[in-house]
């Protein structure tokens, strides 16, 4: 089958890159997720290119090149505001550390490059005319909605066990079944996942929860006992089984952590972060979500709950609260957004009365922690609309209150 790729803006924009490589005597194809998603009719993500040109040759052909993984043959080319990964056709042998291939050999044949890829749906190349190179019947797998390893599944999973985790994340994203032999291999060797870096698993795990078919993917994890190789779940295998029905997939690792911490209450966000090697930001976001859920349970949609919740977490909060407290997501999300917008202030620095004003009111005092304590109280009163965000009103209130604790 041939595709009119000019009608797809994402591919059309990248054609000049392919043209330049081809004009210089090399082969170049679109590969990976973008070709798969085009054939399926899903939104097209990053455009990756595979080429017979060596990394140095690509570097010499383009002005803006970033050598992001040159040992493995990958460079990034910037073109008209977009980034494209260009990887030299290669084979991979001997993954002794189960992380990186020990030896990367550059080759000239696109079919051989496709043979090192994980699943047949991901092993299709497309040239700039829209002609496909599909030696492993990837299109047939798309038609049949199956995730099938390229070549012998056991061998491929031994080379890189992460592929087993990738299989279940594709189940979640696409709603496909895992092909029989491939699934048998995963069921047999899911324990190999213990050998690889947890950060690599985390990327696929997060994508799994963001897929529409996450409940189906969780079932696969349970059947194949993948969870026994995952941090946290290996200690609490029942958690995965007792996960709710993710009607609205979770969009970040922070949401995943908050969901399980809130629901099962045995592992702290800090322990999750340590075991999964999550970033500080993810840990802090999970913590903020937990606090908001807890406050929401106790006091409902009060202003203070939303004020303390960072803007980028509001949608995630609505998703989690809807799921945990069995509410309708869209209506909750609308209420949350409206309430957040109608807050008298969004940030502390929007208070009409600031630290300098406090010192002016109490000229005998030295600056110190007492100021923050008083401003916390003012902030709380303003956010809850018990006090108007007005300089004079706040001043009067303070004079009446005459806060203690100043030194
Ligand atoms: P997404 O749309 O989520 O980016 P993707 O299929 O593009 O999905 P990537 O991780 O971006 O996934 O990888 C790009 C391509 O590289 C894949 O389609 C596949 O052909 C190949 N690939 C990636 N990871 C592996 C792996 N661990 N083993 C073999 N091939 C891989
Ligand atoms: Mg990709």
């Amino acid at each position: 089958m041939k595709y009119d790729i000019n009608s797809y803006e994402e591919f059309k924009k990248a054609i000049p890159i392919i043209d330049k490589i081809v004009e210089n005597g090399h082969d170049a194809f679109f590969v990976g997720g973008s070709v798969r998603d085009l054939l399926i009719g899903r939104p097209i993500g990053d455009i990756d290119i595979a080429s017979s040109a060596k990394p140095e040759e690509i570097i010499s052909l383009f002005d803006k090149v970033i050598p992001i993984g040159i040992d493995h043959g990958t460079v990034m080319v910037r073109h008209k505001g977009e980034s494209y990964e260009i990887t030299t056709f290669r084979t991979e042998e001997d993954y002794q550390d189960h992380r990186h291939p020990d030896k990367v050999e550059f080759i000239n044949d696109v079919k051989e490059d496709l043979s090192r890829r994980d699943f047949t749906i991901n092993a299709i190349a497309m040239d700039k005319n829209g002609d496909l190179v599909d030696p492993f019947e990837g299109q047939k797998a798309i038609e049949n909605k199956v995730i099938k390893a390229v070549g012998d599944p056991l061998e491929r999973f031994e080379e890189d066990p992460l592929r087993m985790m990738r299989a279940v994340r594709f189940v979640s994203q696409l709603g496909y079944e895992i092909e029989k032999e491939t699934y048998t291999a995963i069921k047999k060797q899911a324990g190999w996942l213990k050998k690889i870096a947890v950060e690599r698993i985390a990327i696929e795990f997060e994508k799994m929860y963001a897929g529409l078919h996450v409940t189906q993917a969780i079932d696969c994890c349970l059947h194949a006992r993948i969870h026994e190789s995952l941090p946290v779940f290996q200690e609490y295998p029942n958690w995965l089984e007792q996960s709710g029905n993710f009607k609205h997939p979770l969009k970040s690792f922070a949401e995943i952590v908050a969901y399980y911490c809130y629901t099962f209450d045995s592992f702290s966000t800090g322990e999750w972060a340590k075991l999964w090697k999550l970033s500080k930001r993810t840990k802090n976001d999970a913590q903020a979500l937990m606090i908001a859920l807890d406050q929401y349970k106790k006091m409902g949609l009060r202003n203070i709950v939303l004020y303390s919740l960072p803007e980028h977490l509001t949608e995630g909060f609505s998703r989690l609260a809807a799921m945990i407290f069995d509410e309708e997501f869209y209506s909750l999300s609308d209420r949350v957004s409206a309430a957040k917008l109608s807050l008298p202030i969004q940030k502390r620095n929007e208070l009409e009365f600031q630290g300098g004003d406090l010192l002016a009111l109490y000229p005998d005092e030295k600056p110190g922690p007492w100021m923050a304590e008083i401003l916390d109280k003012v902030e709380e009163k303003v956010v809850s609309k018990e006090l108007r965000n007005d300089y004079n009103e706040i001043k009067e209130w303070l004079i009446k209150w005459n806060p203690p604790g100043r030194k």
Side-chain angles (χ1 to χ4, degrees), residues 51-55 72-74 86-90 106-107 113:
S51 170
S52 57
K54 304 278 182 319
H72 296 91
T74 305
I86 306 184
T87 304
T88 306
F89 296 157
R90 64 180 201 216
F106 296 140
I107 49 175
D113 178 85

Side-chain angles (χ1 to χ4, degrees), residues 111-129:
K111 288 188 183 152
E112 221 180 316
D113 178 85
L114 294 173
S115 74
R116 71 160 174 96
R117 293 175 184 270
D118 49 5
F119 302 108
T120 61
I121 55 171
N122 290 340
I124 307 170
M126 181 173 74
D127 71 12
K128 64 159 204 162
N129 301 314

Side-chain angles (χ1 to χ4, degrees), residues 115-171:
S115 74
R116 71 160 174 96
R117 293 175 184 270
D118 49 5
F119 302 108
T120 61
I121 55 171
N122 290 340
I124 307 170
M126 181 173 74
D127 71 12
K128 64 159 204 162
N129 301 314
D131 285 315
L132 301 178
V133 183
D134 181 16
F136 304 103
E137 301 190 316
Q139 291 167 94
K140 196 170 141 202
I142 289 174
E143 240 168 71
N144 296 332
K145 299 191 188 309
V146 289
I147 296 152
K148 179 179 179 349
V150 173
D152 178 61
L154 272 179
E155 270 173 33
R156 304 310 313 286
F157 296 149
E158 189 171 14
E159 273 171 4
D160 183 4
L162 184 73
R163 291 168 187 158
M164 297 187 277
M165 194 69 223
R166 284 174 61 85
V168 289
R169 81 105 146 151
F170 288 121
V171 167

Side-chain angles (χ1 to χ4, degrees), residues 166-207:
R166 284 174 61 85
V168 289
R169 81 105 146 151
F170 288 121
V171 167
S172 178
Q173 289 179 325
L174 307 175
Y176 287 13
E177 306 267 321
I178 303 175
E179 177 271 337
K180 198 161 168 251
E181 208 186 323
T182 305
Y183 203 18
T184 306
I186 298 178
K187 284 190 227 167
K188 196 164 168 202
Q189 297 298 359
W192 281 339
L193 277 165
K194 290 198 182 103
K195 300 181 193 177
I196 61 172
V198 68
E199 296 93 324
R200 295 183 72 210
I201 300 182
I203 294 171
E204 303 298 332
F205 191 72
E206 186 176 34
K207 290 187 178 177

